[in-house]
Amino acid sequence: MIRHLVAAVLLAAVAAADWAVWLGWDQKYVEHSDGHVSGPYEAWQVVGLVAVLMIVGGVAAHRRYALAATFGITVGLTAAASYDWSDDGSGLWLVGAAAVALGTLFATGAATAVISAVSRGVRARGTAG
C-alpha cells in the first residue's frame, strides 16, 4: 500500500516536471500573416510530453503500479496545467484544467489497463511453461 502511494507521488512529480520541460517555458502565441493565431504550444511539444508519459506510465503499469500511474500522472499533469494557466483572468483555465484531468484520467487509465493485462498474460505464460 505504501509503495503504491509513494509511486503515485513520484509519478505525479514526474508528470509535473514533464509538463515544465515540454510546455511550461512556451507562453507565446503566434499571429500568422492571414490573421489567425496559434499556440502557445507546438504539436511536437505535446507529442514529446505524451511520449514521456507513455513510457513512464507503461513501465509503472508493467511493474504492477497501474493505479498509481493513472492517478499520479493525472494529478501531476492537472496540477502543472492549473499552475501554468491560472493567471488567465477569464477563469477559463478551470475548463482547460478539467479537460486535462478528465482526458489524462481516461487515457492513462486505458493505457495502463491494457499494459497491465498484457504483462499479466506474459507473466502467466512464462510461469506455465
Side-chain angles (χ1 to χ4, degrees):
M1 174 73 173
I2 295 295
R3 290 183 315 165
H4 289 274
L5 183 59
V6 169
V9 170
L10 288 174
L11 287 162
V14 167
D18 191 29
W19 179 282
V21 167
W22 288 101
L23 305 179
W25 54 271
D26 194 355
Q27 304 297 320
K28 294 183 182 177
Y29 288 87
V30 177
E31 187 170 346
H32 300 276
S33 58
D34 63 359
H36 85 276
V37 177
S38 65
Y41 315 122
E42 299 291 331
W44 64 268
Q45 291 171 282
V46 177
V47 168
L49 171 83
V50 171
V52 169
L53 293 177
M54 286 176 62
I55 292 166
V56 170
V59 168
H62 178 69
R63 293 183 177 209
R64 300 180 179 162
Y65 291 99
L67 210 53
T70 299
F71 289 106
I73 290 172
T74 299
V75 167
L77 211 58
T78 303
S82 297
Y83 177 79
D84 195 15
W85 298 339
S86 65
D87 60 350
D88 173 31
S90 71
L92 288 176
W93 69 270
L94 283 169
V95 175
V100 167
L102 289 174
T104 304
L105 180 65
F106 289 119
T108 307
T112 58
V114 168
I115 292 166
S116 290
V118 169
S119 294
R120 276 193 308 272
V122 168
R123 283 187 203 101
R125 272 186 265 129
T127 59

